[in-house]
């Protein structure tokens, strides 16, 4: 794996999988910028905790669902002397309900945060990557973007759309030194999954051939590889890591 120091931006990088990805990229020798929800009161404490264990991150607040907010993010990052070489579009939310019960607001919130954000954030950082002739864009999708999931028409549609975006953009920038890939994790050992009812969680684990939840560090290690020079021949791919729960 390349040890060249570059700068990575991870959206939703202060919680769960995003935090694991941020640490893995830091371990790979990169400077890491975290994008988080504006006004998130726990970010300063989290940054201090990370610094105490050797992870020094820079953080910016942004509403990834709003294009003007992502433009302001890019301006602030550049004004502070940073350039984004590695972009990990990880931010996402759920608003689960069957389609019959789903409110339009629940559909809109998920599509804007999970899918519109990929356009918004990628758009503002793509041109500088093209100018430099090097870049890595990694879009964090989900097993449910490939297989679907009861009660998640909004989430599954957004996550499937992310890979359509990946495949199209990969073709546009392949000759410019930029790769664009999707990573589709299965169910991971995160706070969100841990909060599920025990019977539901047991049913999920029973359906995973390896017999356990994934660890965020496993996905993070994959993202770190895809973000390296060694992965220059990988683009337009959807890499699944789900313990065999969905094979395609």
């Amino acid at each position: 794996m390349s040890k060249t120091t570059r700068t990575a931006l991870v959206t939703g990088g202060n919680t769960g999988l995003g935090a694991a990805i941020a640490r893995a990229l830091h371990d790979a020798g990169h400077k890491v910028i975290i994008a988080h929800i504006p006004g998130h009161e726990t970010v300063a404490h989290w940054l201090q905790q990370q610094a105490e264990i050797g992870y020094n991150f820079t953080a910016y607040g942004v509403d990834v669902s709003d294009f003007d907010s992502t433009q302001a993010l890019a301006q602030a990052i550049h004004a502070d002397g940073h350039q984004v070489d590695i972009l990990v579009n990880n931010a996402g939310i759920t608003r689960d309900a069957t389609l019959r019960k789903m409110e339009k607001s629940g559909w809109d919130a998920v599509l804007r945060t999970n899918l519109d954000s990929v356009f918004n954030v990628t758009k503002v950082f793509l041109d500088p990557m093209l100018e430099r002739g090097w870049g890595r864009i990694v879009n964090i999708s989900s097993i449910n973007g490939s297989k679907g999931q009861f009660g998640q028409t909004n989430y599954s549609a957004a996550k499937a759309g992310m890979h359509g975006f990946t495949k199209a953009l990969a073709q546009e920038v392949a000759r410019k030194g930029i790769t664009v890939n999707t990573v589709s994790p299965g169910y991971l050992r995160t706070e969100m999954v841990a909060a599920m009812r025990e019977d539901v969680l047991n049913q999920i684990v029973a359906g995973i051939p390896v017999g356990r939840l994934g660890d965020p560090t496993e996905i993070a290690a994959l993202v770190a590889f895809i973000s390296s020079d060694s992965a220059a021949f990988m683009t337009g791919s959807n890499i699944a890591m789900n313990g065999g729960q969905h094979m395609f």
Side-chain angles (χ1 to χ4, degrees):
M1 188 178 295
S2 171
K3 292 299 182 182
T4 302
T5 299
R6 295 191 168 95
T7 299
L9 170 64
V10 183
T11 66
N14 60 310
T15 59
L17 177 57
I21 292 171
R23 287 190 288 267
L25 291 169
H26 191 284
D27 287 341
H30 304 304
K31 297 177 182 177
V32 180
I33 298 171
I34 301 300
H36 61 86
I37 299 170
H40 203 300
E41 296 178 355
T42 63
V43 171
H45 179 61
W46 181 83
L47 289 171
Q48 181 179 348
Q49 288 181 316
Q50 297 304 301
E52 290 172 356
I53 58 174
Y55 293 101
N56 296 299
F57 302 131
T58 303
Y60 295 84
V62 63
D63 178 358
V64 295
S65 70
D66 180 77
F67 185 66
D68 290 341
S69 183
T70 59
Q71 285 187 307
L73 170 69
Q75 291 168 1
I77 287 174
H78 294 151
D80 288 341
H82 305 297
Q83 64 181 34
V84 173
D85 306 297
I86 299 164
L87 171 60
V88 183
N89 286 307
N90 169 75
I93 62 171
T94 57
R95 296 289 186 272
D96 295 353
T98 62
L99 187 63
R100 292 181 65 195
K101 296 180 179 180
M102 186 176 293
E103 300 289 339
K104 181 66 162 56
S105 59
W107 174 271
D108 289 343
V110 170
L111 268 291
R112 288 172 181 165
T113 303
N114 296 17
L115 184 55
D116 287 2
S117 64
V118 179
F119 169 84
N120 294 341
V121 182
T122 305
K123 175 72 173 175
V124 296
F125 292 107
L126 182 61
D127 280 352
M129 288 184 186
L130 291 168
E131 292 169 5
R132 293 190 297 271
W134 198 96
R136 296 287 183 268
I137 299 169
V138 185
N139 299 318
I140 306 300
S141 183
S142 165
I143 182 176
N144 295 338
S146 300
K147 76 175 188 63
Q149 177 61 35
F150 184 95
Q152 286 195 332
T153 52
N154 49 6
Y155 185 82
S156 296
K159 292 301 187 179
M162 289 176 75
H163 188 49
F165 178 96
T166 289
K167 291 187 288 186
L169 182 59
Q171 294 181 52
E172 295 178 13
V173 299
R175 293 183 181 273
K176 303 295 185 178
I178 300 169
T179 66
V180 191
N181 291 286
T182 303
V183 171
S184 292
Y187 287 89
L188 306 178
R189 195 179 297 107
T190 61
E191 291 182 4
M192 183 175 68
V193 172
M196 291 180 174
R197 288 197 338 248
E198 185 176 0
D199 60 323
V200 174
L201 186 55
N202 290 340
Q203 185 177 12
I204 289 172
V205 173
I208 301 174
V210 301
R212 65 173 175 86
L213 297 172
D215 193 284
T217 60
E218 295 172 310
I219 306 298
L222 174 61
V223 173
F225 169 72
I226 295 170
S227 302
S228 71
D229 286 322
S230 299
F233 200 54
M234 176 189 292
T235 196
S237 298
N238 184 7
I239 305 95
M241 187 181 283
N242 58 47
Q245 187 177 7
H246 182 59
M247 303 181 187
F248 62 95

